[in-house]
Amino acid sequence: MGPLPAPANCLSCPLRQQQAFLDKTPEQIRVINDARLGSRAYPAGATLVEQGVTDVPIMTLYSGWAFRYRSLDDGSRQILSFLLPGDLIGLQAAMMGDAEYGVECLTDVVVCLFNRARIWSLFGKLPEVSFQLTWLSSRGEMLVDDTATVSGQLSAKSRLSSFLLILIQRLAALGLVQGQSSTIPIPRQHLADALGLSLVHTVKTLRALQRDGAFKWQGHRFELLDKAVLKKLAGYERDEASKRPIL
Amino acid sequence: MGPLPAPANCLSCPLRQQQAFLDKTPEQIRVINDARLGSRAYPAGATLVEQGVTDVPIMTLYSGWAFRYRSLDDGSRQILSFLLPGDLIGLQAAMMGDAEYGVECLTDVVVCLFNRARIWSLFGKLPEVSFQLTWLSSRGEMLVDDTATVSGQLSAKSRLSSFLLILIQRLAALGLVQGQSSTIPIPRQHLADALGLSLVHTVKTLRALQRDGAFKWQGHRFELLDKAVLKKLAGYERDEASKRPIL
DNA sequence: CGGCCAATTGACTGGCGTCAATAGGGGTGG
DNA sequence: CCACCCCTATTGACGCCAGTCAATTGGCCG
């Protein structure tokens, strides 16, 4: 979770060797490594992508949590998706020319930075990899689909339940769930901003769910107590693909 | 709006020649044309993509309106984005392997169908075009970002105002706004499903906005009366890119 | 120990949902 | 051509879920 040092070379990258990710050929990895500018650590709260700027770099989240959001003039903020290790950052902004969103670190974070021009050149050199880039873009859209659906259609209790179920799915796919417990470093305010609820109501609803015996959540330690209860409350769920690409 | 017959060949396609779209080289168009299975007309209400199915085709909306949505077990539905001529349909589903969403026609519609395998082969043959596919995917994500932000953070009045402002931007880019008026064939229930509001409250809020003199909307005919009022109520806006690709 | 910020709880308010009834418009069979 | 029907749009009444205001607690750091 903390700023684990990233390996110097993609070939020895332990993250991409995880079960959750599709394998690449050594040549593909070599070309990707050539496009890589190196890794960089950021502290919790740091801004990875500033909303509104042009020239956004492309990066892969190597360790830690981040989130993508849009800020409004009135000071409110919609969190569009949470980002976990292996997730691609900045593709949409790099494509469109400017960032219509911001990305911020939730925890200490390490990212792998890429040279944008060299990533673009993958479209000519490695068709499979450029295909996977598009795949990752589609997945990014799907994550926002979740956010929109949950915050648009469900009651507060259901929103929280669905959100947690979907999140736990993602964590499990990354091997970040041990038994029934995992680390979820999301403050209440961020939960509220993701789900379209007020801070106060988020807190109260969270308490209610814990009184229902669905889970226990203190600090960053989350323990799922009764998945059946949570599922019944949720009324909405979606499974994570078994294998996915990583740049 | 109705089922205009699509041209037999992409080279003579009047849609792609519109100002809103990037030009392609004749060779690019020829290869795309080779991947094209032909056009097909659907009546209003028809399902273009059924939620949950695999083997989703890739298509470009040629004429008419459609929308992308997710249905929930309880019968409610979140509309994720509205689709206009030139928009790509089915990419996310084709990528991920199955459709986590449905797509339905709002009006009579004509789409251009593509052979998926031949589209995939573009990744090897025409890097620029595969790049544009990714661009379109990113744009799809951005449209959902709008939906999530609007329905997550704004009051009912602001939701309606922002939604209409953003929509009018898109229509204007396509040359579908004459003076201050345009055709918006979105029923109240669909508006409600897109904005996360109840049908009744959507209707009442819409009435209130018209009493404020912001616009007039009867049947499918929409007339913008006071953009300044609408902007003030909205508190959120986003501009459409000036030029974009079309497959 | 004092300060600061996230988390929590209570009280009150209001925006939005739900229920229910009425109007309108277009299509269809008599 | 008219009567009827169905579906969408509209309006009113009422209740509740969730927002706002405000005060207290608890953990962490200087």
Side-chain angles (χ1 to χ4, degrees):
Chain A
M1 183 73 34
L4 303 175
N9 191 298
C10 294
L11 281 160
S12 61
C13 174
L15 180 61
R16 69 167 67 250
Q17 287 162 24
Q18 286 197 17
Q19 212 178 13
F21 302 110
L22 287 170
D23 291 329
K24 284 190 163 52
T25 67
E27 193 222 340
Q28 290 171 347
I29 297 181
R30 193 184 48 70
V31 173
I32 289 171
N33 189 59
D34 286 346
R36 181 169 174 262
L37 296 172
S39 70
R40 183 154 176 197
Y42 291 89
T47 297
L48 293 177
V49 174
E50 189 180 350
Q51 187 171 353
V53 304
T54 54
D55 283 318
V56 175
I58 293 177
M59 19 188 181
T60 290
L61 185 54
Y62 177 75
S63 68
W65 293 52
F67 62 93
R68 201 167 69 82
Y69 64 92
R70 281 217 192 142
S71 287
L72 280 65
D73 293 337
D74 67 359
S76 66
R77 158 179 85 173
Q78 174 67 43
I79 291 184
L80 301 164
S81 55
F82 287 94
L83 304 171
L84 297 175
D87 286 340
L88 193 60
I89 299 175
L91 181 63
Q92 182 192 318
M95 278 283 161
M96 313 290 297
D98 65 327
E100 302 282 356
Y101 57 87
V103 178
E104 192 177 311
C105 301
L106 206 50
T107 66
D108 292 345
V109 142
V110 174
V111 297
C112 292
L113 268 170
F114 294 97
N115 176 296
R116 221 174 12 174
R118 291 208 199 116
I119 293 291
W120 292 167
S121 76
L122 294 180
F123 278 88
K125 279 190 285 195
L126 294 177
E128 308 81 17
V129 175
S130 62
F131 181 92
Q132 294 182 345
L133 270 180
T134 310
W135 198 101
L136 287 166
S137 172
S138 291
R139 178 166 178 279
E141 181 178 8
M142 192 166 65
L143 290 178
V144 196
D145 289 351
D146 286 339
T147 301
T149 305
V150 166
S151 92
Q153 298 302 317
L154 303 178
S155 69
K157 261 190 166 181
S158 298
R159 285 187 218 191
L160 280 167
S161 306
S162 301
F163 173 82
L164 288 170
L165 277 175
I166 294 173
L167 182 62
I168 289 171
Q169 282 270 348
R170 293 178 61 191
L171 291 173
L174 290 172
L176 293 176
V177 177
Q178 307 100 34
Q180 295 303 319
S181 59
S182 40
T183 299
I184 302 185
I186 306 181
R188 303 285 181 267
Q189 181 65 63
H190 295 245
L191 259 187
D193 290 345
L195 299 176
L197 294 168
S198 73
L199 169 62
V200 173
H201 198 61
T202 300
V203 168
K204 288 177 179 173
T205 306
L206 220 38
R207 286 275 127 229
L209 288 175
Q210 296 187 68
R211 273 197 298 277
D212 293 346
F215 54 82
K216 199 162 41 164
W217 190 0
Q218 296 174 37
H220 291 176
R221 186 127 250 98
F222 179 93
E223 189 178 358
L224 183 57
L225 296 178
D226 192 336
K227 193 167 188 173
V229 165
L230 204 56
K231 278 192 181 184
K232 189 146 59 73
L233 287 169
Y236 180 67
E237 203 182 355
R238 205 183 43 68
D239 288 347
E240 180 79 321
S242 59
K243 287 254 188 186
R244 68 166 172 275
I246 179 174
L247 186 55
Chain B
M1 183 73 35
L4 302 176
N9 191 298
C10 294
L11 281 161
S12 61
C13 175
L15 180 61
R16 71 166 67 251
Q17 288 163 23
Q18 286 197 17
Q19 212 179 13
F21 302 109
L22 288 170
D23 290 331
K24 285 191 162 51
T25 67
E27 192 221 342
Q28 290 172 347
I29 297 181
R30 194 183 48 70
V31 174
I32 289 171
N33 190 59
D34 287 346
R36 181 170 174 262
L37 296 171
S39 70
R40 183 153 173 196
Y42 292 90
T47 297
L48 293 177
V49 175
E50 190 179 351
Q51 186 171 354
V53 304
T54 54
D55 282 319
V56 175
I58 293 178
M59 20 189 178
T60 291
L61 185 53
Y62 177 76
S63 68
W65 292 52
F67 62 94
R68 202 169 68 81
Y69 64 92
R70 279 215 195 145
S71 287
L72 279 66
D73 292 338
D74 67 358
S76 66
R77 157 181 85 173
Q78 175 66 42
I79 291 184
L80 302 164
S81 54
F82 287 94
L83 304 171
L84 297 176
D87 286 340
L88 193 59
I89 298 175
L91 181 64
Q92 181 192 319
M95 280 281 161
M96 313 292 295
D98 65 327
E100 302 283 356
Y101 57 88
V103 178
E104 192 177 311
C105 301
L106 206 51
T107 65
D108 292 347
V109 142
V110 175
V111 297
C112 292
L113 269 170
F114 293 98
N115 177 296
R116 222 173 12 174
R118 292 208 198 115
I119 291 292
W120 293 165
S121 75
L122 293 182
F123 278 88
K125 279 189 286 194
L126 294 178
E128 308 82 17
V129 174
S130 63
F131 182 91
Q132 294 182 346
L133 270 179
T134 310
W135 197 100
L136 286 167
S137 173
S138 292
R139 178 166 180 279
E141 182 178 8
M142 192 166 65
L143 290 178
V144 196
D145 289 351
D146 286 338
T147 301
T149 305
V150 166
S151 92
Q153 299 303 316
L154 302 179
S155 70
K157 260 191 167 183
S158 298
R159 286 187 217 190
L160 263 312
S161 306
S162 300
F163 173 82
L164 287 170
L165 276 175
I166 294 173
L167 181 61
I168 289 171
Q169 281 270 347
R170 293 178 61 192
L171 291 173
L174 289 172
L176 294 175
V177 177
Q178 305 101 33
Q180 297 303 318
S181 59
S182 40
T183 299
I184 302 185
I186 305 180
R188 302 287 180 265
Q189 181 65 62
H190 295 245
L191 260 186
D193 290 345
L195 299 175
L197 293 169
S198 73
L199 169 62
V200 173
H201 199 61
T202 300
V203 169
K204 288 178 179 173
T205 306
L206 220 38
R207 285 275 127 229
L209 288 175
Q210 297 188 68
R211 273 196 298 278
D212 292 345
F215 53 83
K216 200 162 42 164
W217 190 1
Q218 295 174 37
H220 291 177
R221 186 127 249 99
F222 179 92
E223 188 179 358
L224 183 56
L225 295 178
D226 192 335
K227 193 166 188 175
V229 166
L230 204 56
K231 279 192 179 181
K232 188 147 59 72
L233 287 168
Y236 180 68
E237 202 183 356
R238 204 183 44 67
D239 286 348
E240 180 79 323
S242 59
K243 285 256 187 184
R244 80 184 110 111
I246 179 173
L247 186 54

